Amino acid sequence: MLRQVPFFKLLIPFVLGTLLSLRFSEYLSGINLITAMAICFALAMLSTIFAAKWHLRWVFGLIATLFLTLAGFTITKSYLGSTTLTSSEEHTALVKLLEPPENRTSSYRVVAKVVAVKTNEVWESKSEKVMLYFSSSDSLLGEQKYGSVLAINATFNPPPDPLNPYQFDHRKYLKLKQIHQTAYIAPENWIFLQNQSSLAKEMAFDLRDKLLALYQKAGITGNNLAVLSALTMGYKNLLDQETRRVFTASGVMHILAVSGLHVGIFFTTLSAFLFFLSRIKRGKLIKSAILIAFLWCFAFFTGLSPSVVRASLMFSLVVIGTSFSRTTNIYNTLSSSAFVILAFNPLLIADIGFQLSYCAVLSIVFFYPYIYNLLFIKNPLLNRVWMLIAVSIAAQIATFPLSLYYFNQFPNYFLLSNLYAIPLAFLILYAAIGLIILSPIPIVFKGIAWLLDSLLTALNYLTRFTESLPYSTSNALAISPAQLIVLCISIALMALFIYSKKRQLLFVSLFGLVVFFVLNLNMYFETHNKSEFLIFANRSASLMGYNHMGQLLLLSNDTTVASLPDKYSFALQGYINKNRIKPSRIHIENIENDSGNNLLHKNFTLKHNDLGCWIEVNQKSMLIPMDKAFPYAEKREKLKLDFILLNANSPKIDNILAILAPHTIVIDQTVPNWQVERISKTALQKGIKLHVVSQQGAFSLK
């Protein structure tokens, strides 16, 4: 079987080298790696002499494997790189925007490339990607486009490390995008110089803007416009968090990520339009050239996302093979496309979309025939329904371990949602194509626009309805890296058993599942036997949590919402997921609500008095001072306690320390930096320990 998939044998050592480089790249220098690769290459050439002898053929294979592993390691290390910009110093620089600015809630955000930096009155050439932020009120910035060259005054800093437990690591995410520095640019600190855009990219962005304008002209707005732009162009900037959550919880988020499904629809549609070329001399080659050109134009238009590149490369290889009347092995085609993509950008191996995309396709290709053949249905309509169910089940088999690991949830009604989402996605794509082609004819344009808007409304309604059903999503399903590896190996062994019918593989696969559940049980006891009090990093309000035996009490001075986990999901969701805390076991308390004592467990008490809010946990006492006047200032004997939590509403530190003698002062992230400096100096003078959440991360008391 391996002889039929030579690219798979090349892919495995290359991926191994890539993964090793992501973990250990700092331990080996580039010169050493290049030297090792050169030695391996020379040995590979020499080993061809032994390859002629059958019993020594393994020598060439071993050296070639080592060479590919080193190649993956070296290429990945070169992509990881490091910054060439000095942090925490103001720079005068020239930057080129690599995309149109994205208008977010509180700022404009854009990826740019620093092309030059002024040092000692001399311009030094650079070539480094950075993430720039601009004021949301900076209207001139909103007019800039891809390719705009700006002169800026900026202080670059590396992205901050996550401050809360299990929080999304934005620094690591940007590093995998080859971005090592960020900067905020005030409106008065930049000017536009010129535009230097490549024609192809500029055309792609212009086409996207024209299509958005066409959709708006058709009367498609709001969520319908957001879903349509994501479904047809892969443009997700219009999607709000609620829409993303609903589609994810319903198990149909994949239709909003332009992928093989969309490429396949466009490919088969164009292929059908070009049917006449098959009847003329050399028409088959002309048709193949047009199809391949279209595939890559579409891939470029959608931003060269991994799923589209993979699908375009696969279809291109199939087209090339059929044009020369050769059959292709789908597994070899998958392996070759992955090898080519990773050779150009090995960092994509860590991209969630890349992993899910390949796992889904591989799972469908292998498992779908076995699942579909379990039932024989004569009725054509019911047979189509069964085909959709079989495809959905096949795709979930290999992707659900990744979904559990990355998203800690599982959509229970994914079969139901895919029964309507996939057919509606087909109809929406065809209607969008019709809208674009027939837009010059007003009457037809209005009719198709109404149909398209109705289809989008139906998709949004059905998705929300599915998400609102009882038990639509299983939450708090976090698994460890070890569980992920064991589960993936078990699925792979099960697939090999189905293919080869060797019982040993089945037994090993089942043993792997037993190991998975043992690890799961161990993780359950670890999380449910935990007792921990935390002060989270959060800028807009004080945010605390007491986690005890799978229950989480959230404490805050925010009175605007009843559901803190939704409003502060960025700070809380990682901790909630990894500790497997279900929504029904989360309780909320306002620390400024003086309604009496709140006793959650025998070792946790919350109460109020004239000084503020008192929390006693695990025989430790903490006060959150609340009264600006702070009574009892005339008291001479100081009250000793373990912790004081200071926030933006706290009294002056001198007034507090006049009557209190804390062991440790904790300053949460709501306190401005200038106040943090003042409090820090006072604490240092009085020999009081200090924990600054904005600098040291969340405070934990276990």
Side-chain angles (χ1 to χ4, degrees):
M1 181 180 177
L2 287 177
R3 292 181 180 180
Q4 300 175 357
V5 284
F7 267 102
F8 180 75
K9 294 190 288 185
L10 300 177
L11 179 65
I12 295 302
F14 187 84
V15 168
L16 177 62
T18 298
L19 295 175
L20 289 173
S21 185
L22 290 174
R23 182 67 179 84
F24 303 108
S25 63
E26 65 272 17
Y27 298 108
L28 290 174
S29 67
I31 295 175
N32 291 338
L33 287 168
I34 293 172
T35 303
M37 284 180 61
I39 293 172
C40 282
F41 183 77
L43 290 174
M45 294 299 99
L46 289 173
S47 67
T48 55
I49 300 171
F50 302 102
K53 298 180 180 180
W54 181 254
H55 67 284
L56 294 175
R57 67 191 187 281
W58 59 269
V59 176
F60 176 80
L62 178 63
I63 297 174
T65 299
L66 182 59
F67 176 81
L68 284 168
T69 303
L70 287 171
F73 196 106
T74 306
I75 295 173
T76 306
K77 182 178 175 66
S78 69
Y79 267 79
L80 286 171
S82 59
T83 183
T84 60
L85 300 169
T86 306
S87 300
S88 303
E89 290 185 11
E90 187 171 346
H91 294 79
T92 299
L94 300 181
V95 298
K96 177 182 176 182
L97 305 190
L98 300 181
E99 59 184 21
E102 179 186 352
N103 190 0
R104 297 166 64 83
T105 305
S106 58
S107 65
Y108 282 100
R109 185 179 72 177
V110 64
V111 177
K113 181 172 72 173
V114 178
V115 295
V117 173
K118 192 175 184 180
T119 307
N120 298 326
E121 303 302 320
V122 177
W123 285 98
E124 181 183 353
S125 179
K126 298 279 185 181
S127 181
E128 180 176 340
K129 286 204 296 184
V130 293
M131 180 72 79
L132 300 180
Y133 296 89
F134 297 80
S135 171
S136 58
S137 61
D138 195 344
S139 57
L140 291 177
L141 193 280
E143 298 174 3
Q144 302 305 313
K145 298 181 178 180
Y146 156 76
S148 295
V149 177
L150 312 179
I152 65 171
N153 287 326
T155 300
F156 293 102
N157 287 292
D161 288 318
L163 294 174
N164 291 308
Y166 311 111
Q167 188 175 326
F168 174 69
D169 194 339
H170 193 59
R171 185 172 191 166
K172 181 181 178 181
Y173 172 79
L174 290 181
K175 183 181 179 182
L176 293 173
K177 302 287 184 184
Q178 298 173 280
I179 298 173
H180 303 278
Q181 297 279 8
T182 65
Y184 173 77
I185 316 296
E188 65 274 11
N189 284 343
W190 70 271
I191 58 171
F192 170 77
L193 298 179
Q194 59 180 333
N195 190 278
Q196 292 181 353
S197 58
S198 68
L199 182 60
K201 267 198 169 184
E202 187 175 6
M203 288 176 62
F205 286 125
D206 285 345
L207 179 58
R208 186 186 72 187
D209 292 340
K210 288 178 180 177
L211 286 180
L212 283 173
L214 181 66
Y215 294 156
Q216 290 171 328
K217 181 182 176 182
I220 301 170
T221 58
N223 279 341
N224 285 0
L225 177 62
V227 170
L228 180 61
S229 61
L231 205 151
T232 57
M233 302 183 292
Y235 182 67
K236 297 182 181 179
N237 289 358
L238 300 179
L239 290 172
D240 56 34
Q241 288 300 320
E242 177 63 13
T243 302
R244 292 172 186 264
R245 186 192 66 79
V246 168
F247 272 77
T248 301
S250 300
V252 293
M253 189 63 186
H254 61 90
I255 69 169
L256 299 186
V258 175
S259 60
L261 171 69
H262 309 71
V263 175
I265 292 173
F266 290 134
F267 175 83
T268 52
T269 303
L270 182 60
S271 182
F273 275 120
L274 299 175
F275 71 94
F276 60 91
L277 289 176
S278 301
R279 301 175 182 176
I280 64 176
K281 187 178 181 181
R282 298 188 182 279
K284 202 171 184 180
L285 290 175
I286 296 172
K287 181 179 178 180
S288 299
I290 293 173
L291 288 172
I292 292 173
F294 165 79
L295 286 173
W296 289 102
C297 285
F298 180 69
F300 197 84
F301 168 64
T302 55
L304 296 175
S305 65
S307 56
V308 177
V309 170
R310 182 261 308 156
S312 299
L313 193 55
M314 281 181 56
F315 278 111
S316 298
L317 293 172
V318 171
V319 168
I320 292 170
T322 53
S323 64
F324 290 100
S325 300
R326 294 183 179 180
T327 58
T328 57
N329 183 296
I330 186 62
Y331 299 105
N332 195 51
T333 303
L334 269 173
S335 300
S336 60
S337 65
F339 186 86
V340 171
I341 291 170
L342 292 176
F344 278 99
N345 186 2
L347 299 184
L348 285 173
I349 193 68
D351 184 85
I352 299 173
F354 180 89
Q355 296 171 13
L356 287 171
S357 176
Y358 270 92
C359 285
V361 173
L362 188 62
S363 188
I364 290 171
V365 168
F366 181 84
F367 287 107
Y368 170 73
Y370 294 102
I371 297 172
Y372 176 73
N373 289 331
L374 291 174
L375 293 177
F376 176 73
I377 300 175
K378 291 184 178 181
N379 185 290
L381 180 60
L382 292 178
N383 186 53
R384 288 284 181 182
V385 173
W386 171 235
M387 287 173 63
L388 280 176
I389 293 174
V391 168
S392 299
I393 295 173
Q396 285 291 345
I397 290 174
T399 57
F400 89 90
L402 292 174
S403 298
L404 295 183
Y405 182 71
Y406 288 118
F407 308 118
N408 312 124
Q409 64 180 21
F410 186 79
N412 296 326
Y413 299 135
F414 73 92
L415 288 177
L416 171 64
S417 56
N418 279 286
L419 283 178
Y420 63 75
I422 293 177
L424 281 174
F426 270 80
L427 294 174
I428 289 169
L429 285 169
Y430 281 125
I433 294 171
L435 185 78
I436 295 166
I437 295 174
L438 301 174
S439 59
I441 308 173
I443 297 177
V444 179
F445 176 75
K446 288 183 179 180
I448 298 177
W450 175 84
L451 174 63
L452 182 57
D453 195 41
S454 300
L455 291 170
L456 289 163
T457 300
L459 177 61
N460 277 314
Y461 172 78
L462 290 171
T463 305
R464 291 184 183 279
F465 174 75
T466 305
E467 188 273 335
S468 67
L469 292 174
Y471 310 107
S472 62
T473 308
S474 294
N475 296 301
L477 298 176
I479 61 174
S480 65
Q483 287 178 281
L484 174 66
I485 293 170
V486 169
L487 193 55
C488 289
I489 292 174
S490 296
I491 292 172
L493 290 173
M494 184 64 71
L496 289 174
F497 162 71
I498 293 172
Y499 177 79
S500 65
K501 301 297 187 290
K502 293 181 179 179
R503 291 186 178 180
Q504 299 92 324
L505 294 171
L506 174 62
F507 294 144
V508 177
S509 176
L510 294 176
F511 176 75
L513 292 177
V514 172
V515 173
F516 171 81
F517 286 114
V518 169
L519 292 173
N520 192 62
L521 189 63
N522 180 64
M523 191 173 180
Y524 173 84
F525 283 118
E526 284 184 0
T527 55
H528 282 70
N529 289 334
K530 179 179 287 188
S531 182
E532 182 179 23
F533 179 80
L534 297 104
I535 299 172
F536 293 97
N538 188 57
R539 292 185 181 277
S540 55
S542 294
L543 191 61
M544 293 159 283
Y546 177 61
N547 177 17
H548 183 76
M549 299 186 69
Q551 293 191 65
L552 179 65
L553 174 65
L554 289 178
L555 307 166
S556 178
N557 58 358
D558 186 338
T559 60
T560 59
V561 289
S563 181
L564 294 177
D566 291 338
K567 185 172 183 179
Y568 302 122
S569 60
F570 185 74
L572 295 172
Q573 203 58 51
Y575 183 83
I576 291 172
N577 287 337
K578 291 301 180 183
N579 285 280
R580 301 183 171 191
I581 301 170
K582 296 184 180 297
S584 60
R585 295 173 69 84
I586 297 176
H587 312 279
I588 299 168
E589 178 72 22
N590 179 12
I591 60 174
E592 294 185 351
N593 180 19
D594 187 5
S595 58
N597 293 353
N598 182 300
L599 182 64
L600 179 65
H601 295 287
K602 62 180 181 181
N603 55 351
F604 180 92
T605 305
L606 182 146
K607 58 185 179 182
H608 294 79
N609 64 14
D610 292 338
L611 293 177
C613 176
W614 287 87
I615 293 174
E616 294 183 9
V617 54
N618 296 330
Q619 299 179 347
K620 298 288 185 179
S621 58
M622 184 179 75
L623 172 67
I624 308 173
M626 291 183 178
D627 195 334
K628 288 288 185 181
F630 211 68
Y632 311 121
E634 72 283 356
K635 188 173 181 179
R636 295 181 180 179
E637 185 179 350
K638 294 185 178 181
L639 179 65
K640 293 183 179 181
L641 70 165
D642 296 300
F643 304 100
I644 287 180
L645 173 62
L646 302 181
N647 56 31
N649 300 321
S650 296
K652 291 181 179 180
I653 185 65
D654 295 331
N655 293 346
I656 295 173
L657 297 182
I659 62 170
L660 297 176
H663 177 272
T664 303
I665 294 177
V666 182
I667 307 175
D668 74 12
Q669 206 178 9
T670 64
V671 180
N673 289 332
W674 65 271
Q675 284 189 10
V676 171
E677 293 178 6
R678 181 181 175 185
I679 296 168
S680 300
K681 288 179 181 178
T682 304
L684 182 63
Q685 291 171 358
K686 295 184 178 293
I688 301 172
K689 288 187 177 181
L690 193 69
H691 184 100
V692 182
V693 171
S694 60
Q695 300 171 9
Q696 299 165 260
F699 176 78
S700 174
L701 179 63
K702 296 184 179 180

